[in-house]
Amino acid sequence: MFRFTLLLAALSAMLSTSVAFAPSLAVGRNGFCASSESAMPVRSHSGSKSELNMAADLKGKVAFIAGVADSTGYGWAIAKALADAGATIIVGTWPPVLKIFERGLAKGQFDEDSTLSDGSKMTIEKVYPLDAVFDEPDDVPEDIKTNKRYAGLDGYTISEVAKAVEADYGKIDILVHSLANGPEVTKPLLETSRKGYLAASSASAYSFVSLVQKFGPIMNPESCALSLTYIASEKVIPGYGGGMSSAKAQLESDTRTLAFEAGRKWGMRVNTISAGPLKSRAASAIGKEPGQKTFIEVAIDYSNANAPLAQDLYSDDVGNSGYFLCSPLARTITGVTLYVDNGLHAMGMALDSAALNQ
Ligand SMILES: NC(=O)c1ccc[n+]([C@@H]2O[C@H](COP(=O)([O-])OP(=O)(O)OC[C@H]3O[C@@H](n4cnc5c(N)ncnc54)[C@H](O)[C@@H]3O)[C@@H](O)[C@H]2O)c1
């Protein structure tokens, strides 16, 4: 709650400051419009604090978050921050972990992690089975259809889920992609097979393209799409293998191209957050050798030792940044990769390098 209040206070302060520096009301959105939109009446804009705070209110907005199966990850934290601002939350969950997630929800296992700033609990209105490596029903191979982890499930391809969401909610406002999968993630790129590389790309990068494609037509004007990326896309992070670094590079590049295409087509904003290391379920599964630190434990320790801000990074930090990017406060921000990593991306030298002590 403290962090959330701080965020709102900081945003209000930022925004009221920017109003103070605005040279004139004539330089607002409509003043620069070259298209037919310039015929639109100029919206009155008092820039008062209360009006700007209202802009952060997400009441009446519907957010679909793909890739939530427990409360440890970034998808959950973003859902919570959006719920805190009043959005209706629906999620897409990978079929192999769907039952365990639904059981956990029913048993109240995530209640403690659902508390919002006013003391109420986040409600997930609906959980849709979603396998983001399939776009259309015809893409689903026989071995998946008959797999016991998919038994009794139907309609989990991206286009079917978009149709189901439309049937339930009509148009929605926020689309979050918080999922990744690389079957060969523990292998260096030099040892990664074509199959493993393409699987990482399919599950972790193309899945975002497909979600934006299929959900675009059911998004309200001024909607936004958001994904999660990792610094391994642009700097070498040993241990983040199997083509996952390549998939994240694709995701960031696609963010820019989709921002242009979906912006022009649907008025949608598209951004990605380059998040610092978090001990989520997915991340904890990388490089689990008995008696040794996992990949993510090393990454967290490294960040604490070397980032400009020597403080813990919580999933809520990314949740709050996701909320900002998905809110009208960020209405002119699109195509960006926003680092939420205590500044680690800015470092070019490791402070704890043994070489510094020689
Ligand atoms: N944890 C970190 O340190 C970290 C850092 C930077 C970026 N990220 C990114 O954040 C996002 C969320 O990951 P997280 O670490 O919070 O873990 P997480 O376990 O909460 O989320 C990953 C989710 O992806 C789902 N998933 C896997 N394959 C899928 C498929 N084919 N279809 C649908 N869902 C599928 C899993 O079931 C899981 O719910 C990922 O894109 C990840 O790369 C994580």
Side-chain angles (χ1 to χ4, degrees), residues 66-76 92-95 97 130-134 150 177-181 203-204 207 227-231 240 244 248 251 273-284 295-296 299-300:
V68 179
D70 60 36
S71 63
T72 63
Y74 284 136
W76 180 275
T93 301
W94 195 35
V97 286
L130 168 75
D131 194 325
V133 300
F134 305 124
Y150 289 71
H177 173 282
S178 182
L179 61 97
N181 210 336
S204 315
S207 52
S227 71
L228 276 308
T229 184
Y230 185 49
I231 192 70
Y240 196 73
M244 277 305 301
K248 291 301 189 190
L251 189 65
I273 290 178
S274 183
L278 173 78
K279 215 169 171 186
S280 64
R281 185 196 280 197
S284 304
F295 167 81
I296 200 67
I300 291 170

Side-chain angles (χ1 to χ4, degrees), residues 280-296:
S280 64
R281 185 196 280 197
S284 304
I286 308 175
K288 224 175 173 175
E289 298 297 331
Q292 281 178 26
K293 281 205 266 187
T294 59
F295 167 81
I296 200 67

Side-chain angles (χ1 to χ4, degrees), residues 183-205:
E184 297 183 16
V185 65
T186 53
K187 288 189 187 166
L189 199 53
L190 267 180
E191 291 164 24
T192 298
S193 71
R194 182 183 296 268
K195 200 172 161 205
Y197 182 98
L198 294 177
S201 174
S202 168
S204 315

Side-chain angles (χ1 to χ4, degrees), residues 16-54:
S16 37
T17 310
S18 68
V19 167
F21 282 111
S24 99
L25 290 180
V27 297
R29 172 171 60 169
N30 298 308
F32 282 124
C33 250
S35 71
S36 57
E37 256 191 39
S38 56
M40 283 166 67
V42 175
R43 212 174 58 184
S44 121
H45 190 286
S46 71
S48 75
K49 195 174 153 197
S50 60
E51 181 189 328
L52 291 167
N53 276 345
M54 273 173 64

